[in-house]
Every structure is written in C-alpha cells, then in structure tokens.
Amino acid sequence: MSSATKRLRRATATRIGPLRHLPALFRLAWSTSRALTLLSVGLRLARAAVPALMLYVAKLVVDTVVAGRADPAGAAGAGAWFTAPLQRHVELLIGIEFALALASDLLGRATTLVDGVLAERTGNAITLRLMAHAATLDLAQFEDPAVQDGLERARRQVAWRANPMGQLLGQLQDGLTALSLAVAVVAFLPWLVVLLVLALIPAFLNELHFNRQGYRLAYRRSPERREGDYMRQLGAGAETAKEIKLFGLSGYLSARFGILADRALQENTRLALRRAVAGGLFASLGTLAYYLAYLVIALRTATGTLTLGDLTFLTGAFLRLRGLVEGLLLGLSQLSGQAQYLDDLFTFLALAPRVRAPAEPAPFPTPIRDGFVFEAVGYRYPGAERWAVRDLSLTIRAGEVVALVGENGSGKTTIVKLLARLYDPTEGRILLDGRDLRDYDPDVLRTRIGVIFQDFVRFDLTAGENIAVGRIEAQDDAPRIEDAAGRALADTVVERLPAGYGQRLGRRFEDGVDLSGGEWQKLAIARAYMREAEVLILDEPTAALDARAEAEVFARLRALALGRTALLISHRFSSVRRADRIVVLGDGRVREAGTHEELVRNGGRYAELFELQAAAYR
C-alpha cells in the first residue's frame, strides 16, 4: 500500500471514524422510547415522498393546461374551457397538490414535535448515564486535569445531546427524497445528476476540513475554557463575594477572563472567516451546475424534445435536488463534526475506573475483629514527583480511637482516602482483618465507613437532606435525622431556621438561608452520626467550632466511637489528647506513636508541637 493511500485512509478514518458512535446514540434513543423513535422514522419516511409527488402533480397540471389551450374546444373561449372534461382533471390535480401541501406541513410539524420530545428524553437519559458513570470513576481520575477536560467536553455535549440523532434521521429523510427526485431526473437526463454531484463534492470536502479544524480548536481550548468558566464563577459567585470585594479582585478577574475570551474570539473568528470564504467559492460551483442544467432543459423544451410540464418538473426537481444533495453532503460533514464531540462523550463513558471490585469480593467482616494494617504502603499522586506517603506501616485496631497529627503535607488526608479506598496504594498493601482491602467490594466498604472531610460539601438542599446524605436511603426517617442532629449539636442550629428541617440552605436559590462555618460543620458531623458506620473517620471535624462547642462535640464523639473504630485528624492537641493512641506523621511516614502522656514524656516532635500550642494559651 502506497504512503499516499495510507494517508488518505488515516484522514478518512479521522473524519468519518467518530460516526461509529451514531448507532450507539440510536440505540440509546430506542431504549428511551421505542414508540417515539418509530414514529419519528415513520413521519420522515412519509415526508420524504411528498416533494417528488408534488412536483410530478405540478407537471401534470401544466401539461393538462397546455393541452387544453391547444384543444379547439378550449381555444373557443373561457366558457368552453370551464365545461370541458379537462377542467375537472385540473381541479382534481390541484386538489391533490393542495392535499400534499397540507400533508407536508402537518407531517413537518408532527416531526418537529416528536423529535423535540425524543431529543429531550434522550438528552435526559444521556445526562443520567453521564452522572451514573461519573460516580463509578476514581477520585484520582477526577483529580487528573486530562480527565477533567474530557468531562468538561462530555458535559457540553449534553447541551445539544440529541441533535445528531435528529440530524441523522433528517439525513435519512432527505436522502430518500433526493433518491426519488434523482430517479425522476435520470429518466429524462441522467447526466444532470452526475454533473450536480461532481459540482458539490468540493464543497463537501471543504466542510469536512473545517469541521475538523473547529473540533481541533475546541479540543485544544478545553483547559482555557475551563479556566474562563472558573474566572466567571469566581467573579460572580456568592461563595467568593466577600474576598473579591475585600481584596478588590473584580478588575483582575475580569481582565483575566477578558484575555481568555478575546483569544478564543480571535481564533474562532479567523476560522469562521476562512470557512466562509472557501465555502462561498465552492458553493458557486453548485450554482453554476444548476444554471447549466437549467439552460439545457430550456433549450430542449424550446426544440420540442421536452414539454412545458417536463420543463416545470425538471427545473423544480433539479433545483430541489441540488439543495438536497448539497444539504446531504454538508449535513454529513456537519454530522461527522458533531460526532467528533459525540466521540468525547462516549470516550468519557468508556473510561474505566482503576479502583474496582474483585470478581468474587470477600464478605465484609461484621463486626470488624482485628482492624486495619498498613504494610509498607506508598502512594504518589499521578504526575507528582513527591510521594504523599512512603513505606508507611501503621495499625488501627478494632474499637480503637486513633488520632493522626502532623504538619500540612505529612500524609494525613491521603491515609484517610486510602483507608476508604478512594485510592489504591502505589506500593504495599492495606489489610482489613488480615485480608487485602482490594479483596472487598469498595462500595460495600464505603457503606461501612463514615468520613467527614474538612472541606465537606455544603449542599444547597434542605437542612434535613444535608444530614440525611450520611445515609441517603434513610432520608424519610425523620426520627433518625433528628437524633443525628441532636448528637452533633446541630439541633439548635435547625431550631433557628424558619422552616426547620425543611429549610433550604445556601445562597444558590431564592428561598435559601446561609449558615456560619461552625453551623455548617455541625450539620456535617451529624452526617457521621446519621451513617451509624462501623468505622468513623473525621478529618478536622471541629476546625470551625469555638472551644466550648469543640469540647462538647468531642465528648459526644467519644460516646459515638464506643464499640467502633475511629480515626481522628486534627491540628488541635486539646482534642487529640483524648484518643486511645496518637500517631505522629512526617514526610509520609510514622515518626512517633503512643498516648498523649507517653509522647509528651518522650520529648519528640509531638511534645514540641504540643508545647507550641500550649504556650499560646499561657
């Protein structure tokens, strides 16, 4: 195979390859609503036959009128014409054409209605599938910028999600109409169709080229588009408004967004200008082909080879055929262009998680007998040179309250994520009751672990729902929600809300009520109580609480941890000193471990940090 042939095949695969996803989109529409899909196809098949029929009836009308004018009875006067049998023939033909026109309009409106409903239902199905698949991906994948760019492009496809489906069916309809017209034209002048197709192919190839260029530009600009969206969110978000005003950042953010937007506008404009110029030049070839055909048809009519009805039919059919073939070729190029974006959607949906459940997961131990053991565990974030934890050996015994302390970057939160199997170790292994954590189903594992991170989510839902997310299947269990709130000291927060547990929180919606940082944190702690998990992990759970609230929360937290395994991360040594055992981390390794009293007596890093905090209160 020659190099030129190979390049041609690669170019064809690049342009047409994404069309392979169209059958999957059709199957999705079919599974969403078989009735609507069949109805849409049926309506388009019916509409496809109407244009050729209308043109042919128009030809018959013209030929009948001309024949009537040539008839001596018709030439005798208007009265003789109206009484002639040809009158009823013409009336019948015009009535048929009128009925076809009405049918075309009604079929068009029905198709628009059906396609609109099918598009929305298919779009909703795609959105749900996108959300469901995103939930299966690993945390490390979400933290990967390349995956974020792919997710951004996939989300954007939901905006026009079913357009390729409607366009594909429209192409089918136009193709059938063009076929019927082409058959009719071929019966008279076969070479006209060949002339038309040859004249329109350059425009088709031009559109393919610029669709590909547009996709490449959009693909390349995905990171900058995300940055622009981030600048817009920062500049106009309720969560950032305080600091934007205090630091006077509005002008800086606007200028930065403007630079990104102007750069995108300039590149898009240059591409659109080149596309318009090239498209105009190639479109003129199609216009030239039409008028050449028009001239030939008119000359043949003048010489008597064709009738006036043939002239009417052929010029109308050729004009319509030109538009249809041009639309088909350009539509195919646009469909190929849109299918490249569709390729992003299905590529994201094909992205497989790396943290997977084994084929035959081990039963989760209930209750946990021995606990967790980290054996020479190491983890390095994708693309990072520094290890988050390395050669980490740690034991967390069942029913034990263990506190992790250490400076920022020492690996505390990474350990939590490894324990919840949000990540899998790069090196080493983690055992639960003597079995590798990877032997268990991660979904089952996470249902048995209650984790509250310092950067917990503030859901713009009701107060009751903000607590219920800890065990969402129990969202209708009001007594359980209220009990969890009471144990976390969040009941007093809810009592002050106008609608109590039914009050929407946050500032995103008009009826929302925002809370202070400490109030939000109490609701987050209530989620841990709501979960009733065997393993409780709290990452800086009292960072936004005052000293009195912190002391009471930890007293209740200690009661919650009875009979459970608990892992506590905090920078406040007044809190961690209540733990059964304190583990001091540094550079991703265990540096010290013991009770508060033991560590203070040892005079190591813990004693140094504790003394620094204690000195601040003297």
Side-chain angles (χ1 to χ4, degrees):
M1 184 182 297
S2 67
S3 59
T5 304
K6 290 180 180 179
R7 286 196 301 270
L8 179 61
R9 292 186 64 175
R10 282 197 299 267
T12 303
T14 299
R15 290 173 169 82
I16 307 299
L19 293 175
R20 69 186 184 277
H21 294 299
L22 292 178
L25 185 65
F26 184 86
R27 287 193 298 270
L28 184 60
W30 177 261
S31 64
T32 300
S33 176
R34 295 185 178 185
L36 287 175
T37 305
L38 285 173
L39 185 56
S40 179
V41 172
L43 289 170
R44 291 182 181 280
L45 289 175
R47 289 186 68 194
V50 172
L53 289 174
M54 290 184 67
L55 284 171
Y56 187 72
V57 171
K59 161 193 156 44
L60 295 178
V61 170
V62 172
D63 282 343
T64 303
V65 170
V66 170
R69 296 292 295 177
D71 184 47
W81 163 251
F82 285 117
T83 59
L86 290 177
Q87 175 190 353
R88 290 188 294 274
H89 194 187
V90 170
E91 290 172 349
L92 176 62
L93 290 173
I94 292 179
I96 292 173
E97 189 172 348
F98 174 68
L100 289 171
L102 285 180
S104 178
D105 181 63
L106 293 174
L107 287 170
R109 293 178 185 276
T111 301
T112 301
L113 173 63
V114 171
D115 283 357
V117 176
L118 181 60
E120 186 167 356
R121 292 185 65 170
T122 304
N124 291 340
I126 293 175
T127 300
L128 291 172
R129 185 173 172 184
L130 184 67
M131 293 172 65
H133 184 71
T136 68
L137 299 182
D138 308 330
L139 180 61
Q141 289 173 298
F142 274 101
E143 294 171 342
D144 186 343
V147 175
Q148 280 293 315
D149 289 340
L151 178 58
E152 170 68 16
R153 291 192 297 271
R155 282 198 195 106
R156 286 180 177 268
Q157 306 330 304
V158 177
W160 54 264
R161 49 210 173 231
N163 275 2
M165 184 67 205
Q167 192 170 0
L168 180 63
L169 293 175
Q171 290 282 91
L172 173 64
Q173 173 190 322
D174 290 346
L176 292 173
T177 301
L179 180 61
S180 64
L181 291 172
V183 169
V185 172
V186 165
F188 291 92
L189 298 170
W191 60 271
L192 290 181
V193 176
V194 178
L195 171 66
L196 177 64
V197 172
L198 290 177
L200 294 178
I201 284 178
F204 166 66
L205 296 176
N206 178 69
E207 286 298 313
L208 275 181
H209 169 73
F210 280 104
N211 281 332
R212 182 63 181 168
Q213 293 297 313
Y215 172 75
R216 286 177 176 172
L217 179 60
Y219 188 97
R220 180 170 56 80
R221 295 199 62 84
S222 291
E224 291 192 7
R225 185 169 56 241
R226 279 204 302 127
E227 184 179 353
D229 290 343
Y230 179 62
M231 292 299 122
R232 181 167 50 233
Q233 179 182 348
L234 286 178
E239 298 83 359
T240 58
K242 297 189 299 294
E243 295 191 39
I244 297 301
K245 288 182 176 296
L246 287 173
F247 296 129
L249 298 178
S250 178
Y252 167 76
L253 295 175
S254 298
R256 188 161 173 176
F257 175 82
I259 292 172
L260 294 170
D262 288 344
R263 189 182 304 160
L265 178 62
Q266 291 173 12
E267 292 184 346
N268 290 335
T269 301
R270 285 196 296 268
L271 181 64
L273 182 60
R274 295 202 314 270
R275 184 173 195 161
V277 172
L281 292 174
F282 286 118
S284 63
L285 292 177
T287 303
L288 176 62
Y290 168 72
Y291 280 98
L292 284 175
Y294 190 8
L295 176 61
V296 171
I297 295 169
L299 292 175
R300 292 205 174 192
T301 303
T303 59
T305 306
L306 299 174
T307 68
L308 285 177
D310 295 336
L311 172 66
T312 303
F313 174 75
L314 286 174
T315 53
F318 196 80
L319 181 61
R320 186 69 180 267
L321 187 59
R322 176 209 169 192
L324 286 170
V325 173
E326 185 176 27
L328 282 169
L329 294 177
L330 296 184
L332 181 60
S333 70
Q334 292 169 2
L335 195 59
S336 175
Q338 287 193 348
Q340 292 175 90
Y341 295 95
L342 197 62
D343 192 44
D344 288 325
L345 174 62
F346 282 97
T347 298
F348 179 80
L349 292 177
L351 191 64
R354 291 186 285 267
V355 176
R356 296 186 180 184
E360 297 183 3
F364 194 88
T366 305
I368 296 174
R369 298 181 306 276
D370 302 325
F372 298 87
V373 178
F374 288 69
E375 293 184 345
V377 169
Y379 183 78
R380 181 165 57 186
Y381 289 92
E385 296 183 2
R386 178 177 173 273
W387 289 79
V389 295
R390 188 77 187 275
D391 195 26
L392 175 70
S393 295
L394 171 66
T395 298
I396 304 172
R397 292 181 285 271
E400 184 181 33
V401 177
V402 176
L404 298 181
V405 300
E407 297 177 90
N408 292 334
S410 60
K412 301 185 297 296
T413 300
T414 301
I415 290 174
V416 171
K417 293 174 179 178
L418 289 167
L419 198 62
R421 231 193 137 196
L422 296 174
Y423 306 143
D424 275 339
T426 309
E427 296 177 346
R429 62 177 184 164
I430 304 171
L431 304 179
L432 169 59
D433 279 4
R435 298 198 63 158
D436 195 311
L437 210 59
R438 285 169 282 210
D439 291 341
Y440 301 101
D441 187 327
D443 291 334
V444 174
L445 170 69
R446 291 164 194 158
T447 62
R448 308 298 179 87
I449 297 180
V451 184
I452 299 298
F453 289 105
Q454 181 179 6
D455 55 346
F456 59 86
V457 178
R458 304 182 181 192
F459 293 99
D460 286 69
L461 304 172
T462 66
E465 289 168 333
N466 264 278
I467 298 172
V469 295
R471 181 71 69 180
I472 196 61
E473 59 270 22
Q475 60 180 311
D476 297 325
D477 190 345
R480 181 171 178 171
I481 293 174
E482 293 172 7
D483 178 66
R487 295 161 73 184
L489 303 179
D491 53 344
T492 56
V493 175
V494 178
E495 288 171 359
R496 293 195 295 270
L497 297 174
Y501 288 94
Q503 176 64 56
R504 185 189 291 275
L505 303 180
R507 295 179 178 176
R508 187 181 301 271
F509 302 102
E510 187 176 355
D511 58 342
V513 173
D514 204 8
L515 303 177
S516 68
E519 290 171 330
W520 274 112
Q521 197 151 32
K522 289 179 181 178
L523 289 180
I525 295 172
R527 295 173 194 166
Y529 286 92
M530 183 74 185
R531 197 156 186 79
E532 294 288 355
E534 296 180 50
V535 181
L536 183 65
I537 302 176
L538 299 177
D539 186 353
E540 294 288 354
T542 59
L545 300 181
D546 57 53
R548 182 185 298 276
E550 179 191 20
E552 190 169 354
V553 163
F554 269 103
R556 298 193 180 198
L557 189 62
R558 185 71 185 180
L560 172 67
L562 289 176
R564 294 181 173 87
T565 304
L567 188 64
L568 170 66
I569 297 176
S570 179
H571 285 93
R572 296 186 180 182
F573 287 10
S574 59
S575 302
V576 302
R577 66 184 300 171
R578 297 184 176 92
D580 297 325
R581 189 159 51 95
I582 301 169
V583 176
V584 183
L585 299 172
D587 297 324
R589 293 179 171 86
V590 175
R591 298 302 185 188
E592 297 178 274
T595 65
H596 170 75
E597 291 75 14
E598 291 171 345
L599 293 173
V600 170
R601 281 198 305 271
N602 290 342
R605 182 61 174 161
Y606 178 85
E608 178 186 350
L609 295 174
F610 177 75
E611 180 60 29
L612 286 174
Q613 283 197 13
Y617 290 96
R618 292 180 185 143

